[in-house]
Amino acid sequence: MEKFNVKMKSALTLVVTITALLFTSCNGNAQQAQGGEGTIQNVSAEQFKQAENNSEVILLDVRTPNETKQGVIEGAVTMDIYNADFDQKLSTLDTTKQVYVYCRSGARSSKAAEKLEAMGFNKVYNLKGGILGWQNAGENTVKP
């Protein structure tokens, strides 16, 4: 009976540990991802829209040219994350401005946001759901 209790406690400890690891390591949907000195914030389309016409903000679309042909958020600068000179192009941006970044669904823009933060940008905002989330929220795009 004692062996059974020890095995049950070990199994329970293992389950609790795995569960804790799953919850702490999967931060793809986290509101904020802390790193360096700045903080990357994942924001809704509504929050992102507030930055659309702000001169102190850089709207950054990191999709491919074929994707941006379908439409961009008005005022966005486009930089293809897959281009070899992507990092060099990012380095031309003003680090004192807030950067609002997006892609198709949010994965590539998350990577771009991490690069921006590593380059010294302290206020980086990633659009939850990317341009698809933007359009699903009823927001408009313009042809480049």
Side-chain angles (χ1 to χ4, degrees):
M1 185 70 159
E2 187 175 325
K3 279 187 173 183
F4 179 76
N5 285 338
V6 170
K7 285 183 180 182
M8 286 301 293
K9 285 180 183 179
S10 295
L12 183 59
T13 301
L14 180 62
V15 169
V16 169
T17 302
I18 290 171
T19 304
L21 286 172
L22 287 173
F23 280 112
T24 59
S25 67
C26 296
N27 66 356
N29 292 325
Q31 281 294 90
Q32 297 182 347
Q34 191 72 29
E37 291 183 13
T39 300
I40 300 167
Q41 293 185 34
N42 294 314
V43 296
S44 67
E46 182 180 325
Q47 293 166 306
F48 203 90
K49 182 157 182 68
Q50 294 173 2
E52 191 175 15
N53 297 310
N54 184 337
S55 64
E56 294 302 311
V57 166
I58 299 168
L59 294 178
L60 179 61
D61 185 327
V62 297
R63 296 176 299 150
T64 66
N66 281 336
E67 291 173 305
T68 59
K69 284 180 192 174
Q70 305 303 312
V72 299
I73 296 173
E74 190 169 0
V77 174
T78 59
M79 293 183 189
D80 183 354
I81 195 168
Y82 295 129
N83 275 351
D85 63 349
F86 179 70
D87 290 355
Q88 189 275 325
K89 286 184 176 182
L90 285 182
S91 70
T92 66
L93 299 175
D94 184 350
T95 59
T96 65
K97 292 192 175 187
Q98 299 174 36
V99 181
Y100 284 72
V101 61
Y102 69 95
C103 63
R104 181 178 174 271
S105 62
R108 287 174 285 172
S109 57
S110 291
K111 290 178 184 175
E114 290 172 3
K115 287 182 182 238
L116 288 163
E117 185 180 44
M119 296 171 98
F121 290 84
N122 290 319
K123 295 182 180 177
V124 182
Y125 303 89
N126 181 45
L127 177 58
K128 284 185 206 173
I131 195 89
L132 295 176
W134 178 261
Q135 292 168 329
N136 286 337
E139 300 297 344
N140 295 319
T141 58
V142 296
K143 298 288 181 179

